[in-house]
């Protein structure tokens, strides 16, 4: 099978430029077809392996930090802005449901942008599309800070999402370029640790920004963050997709590749399960500022603290997944546990917010949200890893489908949580329960985890 020749963590030096020892000039060309790792470069001499390995580790650390920054950018763009949502409704004189569309627009942009950037990265490599996307992201974010109306802010958030999609989709594709199997699942958990810092600190930063300036200052800070990350990508992230593994076709071939991926029942099952789990998460993200602050009367700083605590739970469980469970328990079993806990937590939130047990108060609701968020640490990295392992030949297109599905479903869930106004949290819980049931159903029916996997 082609996957047997995929690069793992120890092979990253074949993709990331590192100081290399001279290769023997007399090394003969391969006489017969070999694996991808055999055809890229001659085997190094035994006495040069130690320096090469050390260099690869240093390069691997840099790549980990850069990819972590890219995956942290979406939660920064979303979560730093959350404490300001009530203020934005007053400043722009628009209803809450309209202002929530600024989140929907950003999500929709990230979803559609991935469909374009993913195939582009399979054709032209990872680096160039990523740099272009980051530059446009910085410009769009800067313009958001000066939007005079809700309509223009929604439009610029859409542009911000379209450009920011490059970081999301290419980060996953780079991981697929460098890792495989269990190592890939572990790396996704490591990325969750790095990117998980963003949702922890972003609302806290947003709350503090609101103490010294208005909501527009949030976008000024995001512009600076995007600019720094663009410079870091330009300096440290080298190309990970060699020319020999790129796709020469255009839009038609990209569409055929995606159609082939969607025809894979198991890939589609993981894609839908991950997308619906993300919708549960985004229902919380878009509704929690109003639920915590407007319904339960918490301050922006208290909301930021609770949001950060929930993010700590997600990161901690993600590390338990990567360090303790992956390699010891099957990925499907861990994924099933995660989806099951998400459903139980969402059901508990529905019971509490509907008033069946009286007024539960903020502590009980916060506890239910903490459990729900923490269980995402079991679901999200494993759906990505399992789906990408089905597509070694088109990591960019597969990553685009995964991201687009997640963000489109999340964009649909966002306005639904406010459909009954700002005085009840029931719509949030209903959306979460419905998406959790659907996610678990897709996993069990399409992936069929109790049956032997087919190649």
């Amino acid at each position: 099978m082609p996957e047997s020749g995929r690069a793992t963590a120890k092979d990253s030096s074949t993709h990331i430029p590192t100081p290399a020892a001279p290769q023997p000039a007399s090394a003969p060309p391969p006489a017969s077809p070999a694996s991808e790792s055999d055809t890229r470069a001659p085997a190094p001499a035994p006495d040069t392996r130690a320096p090469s390995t050390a260099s690869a580790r240093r390069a691997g650390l840099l790549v980990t930090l850069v990819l972590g920054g890219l995956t942290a950018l979406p939660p920064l763009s979303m979560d730093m802005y959350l404490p300001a949502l009530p203020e934005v409704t007053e400043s722009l004189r628009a209803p809450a449901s309209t202002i929530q569309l600024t989140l929907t627009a950003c999500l929709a942009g990230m979803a559609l942008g991935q469909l374009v950037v993913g195939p582009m990265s399979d054709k032209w490599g990872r680096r160039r599309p990523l740099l272009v996307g980051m530059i446009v992201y910085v410009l769009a974010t800067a313009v958001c800070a000066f939007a005079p109306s809700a309509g223009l802010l929604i439009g610029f958030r859409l542009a911000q999402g379209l450009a920011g999609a490059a970081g999301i989709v290419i980060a996953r594709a780079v991981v697929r370029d460098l890792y495989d199997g269990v190592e890939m699942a572990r790396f996704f958990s490591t990325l969750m640790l790095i990117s998980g810092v963003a949702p922890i600190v972003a609302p806290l930063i947003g709350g503090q920004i609101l103490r010294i300036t208005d909501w527009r200052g949030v976008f000024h800070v995001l512009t600076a963050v995007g600019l720094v990350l663009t410079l870091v990508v330009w300096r440290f992230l080298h190309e990970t997709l060699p020319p020999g593994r790129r796709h020469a076709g255009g839009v038609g071939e990209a569409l055929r590749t995606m159609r082939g991926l969607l025809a894979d029942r198991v890939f589609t099952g993981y894609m839908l399960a991950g997308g619906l789990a993300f919708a549960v998460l985004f229902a919380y993200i878009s509704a929690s500022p109003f639920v915590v602050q407007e319904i339960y009367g918490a301050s922006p700083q208290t909301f930021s603290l609770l949001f950060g605590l929930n993010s700590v739970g997600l990161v901690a469980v993600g590390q338990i997944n990567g360090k303790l469970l992956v390699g010891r328990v099957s990925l499907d079993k861990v994924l099933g546990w995660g989806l099951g806990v998400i459903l139980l937590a969402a059901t508990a939130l529905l019971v509490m917010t509907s008033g069946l047990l009286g007024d539960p108060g903020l502590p009980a609701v916060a506890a239910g949200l903490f459990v729900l968020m923490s269980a995402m640490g079991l679901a999200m990295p494993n759906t990505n890893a399992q789906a990408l392992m089905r597509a070694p030949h088109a990591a960019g297109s597969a990553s685009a489908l995964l991201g687009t599905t997640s963000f489109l479903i999340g964009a649909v869930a966002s306005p639904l949580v406010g459909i009954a106004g700002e005085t009840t949290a029931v719509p949030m819980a209903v959306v979460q329960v419905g998406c959790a049931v659907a996610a678990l159903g897709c996993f069990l029916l399409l992936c069929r985890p109790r049956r032997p996997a087919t190649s």
Side-chain angles (χ1 to χ4, degrees):
M1 294 294 294
E3 285 196 47
S4 63
R6 297 294 301 175
T8 60
K10 65 182 180 181
D11 297 319
S12 62
S13 60
T14 63
H15 299 292
I16 303 297
T18 58
Q23 298 299 325
S26 60
S32 59
S35 66
E36 288 181 22
S37 58
D38 291 333
T39 60
R40 280 195 294 266
D47 59 341
T48 63
R49 288 187 64 84
S52 178
T53 301
S55 179
R57 287 175 179 171
R58 289 193 295 271
L61 177 60
L62 285 173
V63 171
T64 301
L65 294 175
V66 174
L67 296 183
L70 291 173
T71 55
L73 192 59
L76 276 177
S77 301
M78 295 288 180
D79 302 342
M80 193 182 295
Y81 174 65
L82 292 178
L85 283 179
E87 181 180 321
V88 176
T89 61
E90 297 179 6
S91 174
L92 299 181
R93 295 180 175 85
S97 58
T98 299
I99 297 304
Q100 281 176 329
L101 289 177
T102 62
L103 296 175
T104 302
C106 190
L107 269 181
M110 290 180 179
L112 298 175
Q114 290 183 68
L115 284 178
V116 177
V117 177
M120 285 173 57
S121 73
D122 282 338
K123 181 178 181 180
W124 292 314
R126 313 303 185 198
R127 181 175 163 83
R128 283 185 293 172
L130 176 58
L131 284 172
V132 172
M134 292 301 301
I135 292 171
V136 176
Y137 171 88
V138 170
L139 296 175
T141 306
V143 175
C144 283
F146 301 99
S149 66
L152 288 176
L153 180 60
I154 291 171
F156 290 133
R157 287 282 277 177
L158 176 64
Q160 182 190 41
L162 287 168
I168 305 169
V169 67
I170 292 179
R172 276 196 302 262
V174 169
V175 173
R176 188 62 183 98
D177 291 340
L178 301 178
Y179 295 89
D180 198 3
V182 169
E183 289 299 323
M184 183 165 55
R186 285 177 175 156
F187 194 89
F188 275 125
S189 293
T190 301
L191 285 186
M192 183 170 288
L193 172 62
I194 298 173
S195 63
V197 174
I200 293 172
V201 302
L204 298 172
I205 295 173
Q208 296 307 311
I209 291 174
L210 293 178
R211 304 183 90 169
I212 59 177
T213 184
D214 61 6
W215 61 272
R216 298 180 188 274
V218 174
F219 286 105
H220 290 306
V221 174
L222 285 173
T223 301
V225 171
L227 181 60
V228 170
L229 187 55
T230 302
L231 295 175
V232 170
V233 168
W234 174 78
R235 176 66 180 83
F236 293 110
L237 185 63
H238 303 287
E239 185 57 64
T240 62
L241 186 67
R245 290 173 50 202
R246 297 178 188 176
H247 292 186
V251 176
E253 181 177 341
L255 293 176
R256 285 191 295 271
T257 299
M258 290 184 178
R259 185 169 64 245
L261 290 170
L262 293 174
D264 181 351
R265 170 182 52 79
V266 179
F267 174 88
T268 302
Y270 289 124
M271 179 187 72
L272 291 176
L276 289 161
F278 182 83
V280 175
L281 173 64
F282 199 73
Y284 157 74
I285 290 175
S286 54
S288 59
F290 297 98
V291 170
V292 174
Q293 296 180 78
E294 302 296 329
I295 297 178
Y296 291 100
S299 67
Q301 288 71 38
T302 300
F303 164 73
S304 301
L305 180 62
L306 292 175
F307 196 93
L309 183 63
N310 291 338
S311 299
V312 170
L314 186 151
V315 171
V317 174
Q319 293 313 292
I320 292 173
N321 173 72
K323 304 298 184 183
L324 298 180
L325 299 179
V326 171
R328 294 180 175 87
V329 183
S330 73
L331 297 183
D332 276 340
K333 183 175 292 187
V334 177
L335 176 56
W337 290 345
L339 294 176
V341 174
I342 290 171
L343 177 57
L344 290 175
T347 303
L349 285 169
L350 178 58
V351 171
M352 288 188 289
T353 57
S354 63
L356 294 177
L357 302 178
D359 184 7
L362 181 58
V365 172
L369 291 172
F370 177 80
V371 173
L372 184 145
M373 282 284 286
S374 298
M376 293 291 172
L378 299 179
M380 295 173 66
N382 293 324
T383 52
N384 284 333
Q386 290 287 69
L388 286 173
M389 278 192 283
R390 306 283 301 186
H393 56 289
S397 296
S399 179
L401 285 174
L402 290 173
T404 297
T405 301
S406 296
F407 281 94
L408 282 180
I409 298 176
V412 172
S414 174
L416 295 179
V417 300
I419 200 169
E422 305 171 30
T423 60
T424 176
V426 171
M428 177 193 72
V430 169
V431 170
Q432 289 174 331
V433 170
C435 291
V437 169
L440 189 58
C442 288
F443 172 62
L444 294 176
L445 296 176
L446 297 178
C447 302
R448 301 178 185 175
R450 294 187 178 181
R451 302 187 181 185
T454 57
S455 55

